[in-house]
Amino acid sequence: VQLQASGGGLVQPGGSLRLSCAASGFTLDGYAIGWFRQAPGKEREGVLCIGETPSSTYYEDSVKGRFTISRDNAKNTVYLQMTSLKPEDTAVYYCATAPLRGIDSGSYFCYYGMDLYGKGTQVTVSS
């Protein structure tokens, strides 16, 4: 049972990246999904988390309008599309998951964290 994030890299300010998170050993359908990031010297923060329904999606204030989440159930993979990237988005990004437990609140999962975190992928935004 594991998650593997990929797709990070170096991008110029204003650019875009799409991160992927592939799950193995279990099916993502029926689980809350989240993307977290940790910048050097800072605590890990929840960036975007989704509960059972799309309307439950929580966006950290600084990424609203720039980051979106999508999923491909056939590939058991979720994606984080990041646009208009800024230097302050530089961090290691992690995907995570947790059983829904009847909680349909992305903010809950982003605030309290999740059960399983994948290995992170580095995103560096710099000119």
Side-chain angles (χ1 to χ4, degrees):
V1 175
Q2 65 177 358
L3 298 171
Q4 180 64 57
S6 61
L10 173 64
V11 62
Q12 292 186 342
S16 300
L17 275 177
R18 189 179 77 160
L19 305 184
S20 300
C21 175
S24 59
F26 71 106
T27 303
L28 284 170
D29 192 22
Y31 281 75
I33 303 295
W35 285 93
F36 294 75
R37 67 185 178 187
Q38 187 166 19
K42 295 187 177 181
E43 293 187 354
R44 185 176 62 196
E45 65 174 350
V47 174
L48 192 162
C49 298
I50 183 169
E52 183 174 7
T53 60
S55 62
S56 72
T57 305
Y58 164 82
Y59 300 85
E60 195 274 327
D61 285 346
S62 69
V63 307
K64 287 180 180 177
R66 301 188 298 123
F67 290 12
T68 56
I69 191 171
S70 62
R71 64 197 302 165
D72 184 333
N73 288 335
K75 295 182 178 180
N76 209 25
T77 299
V78 295
Y79 304 95
L80 179 67
Q81 180 68 50
M82 306 185 293
T83 63
S84 301
L85 283 162
K86 305 174 181 180
E88 50 264 42
D89 294 318
T90 295
V92 177
Y93 283 72
Y94 303 86
C95 58
T97 188
L100 285 168
R101 302 186 183 101
I103 299 170
D104 188 26
S105 169
S107 60
Y108 174 92
F109 290 105
C110 265
Y111 182 79
Y112 290 107
M114 292 188 165
D115 295 356
L116 175 66
Y117 289 81
K119 187 176 179 181
T121 185
Q122 176 71 46
V123 172
T124 302
V125 185
S126 175
S127 55

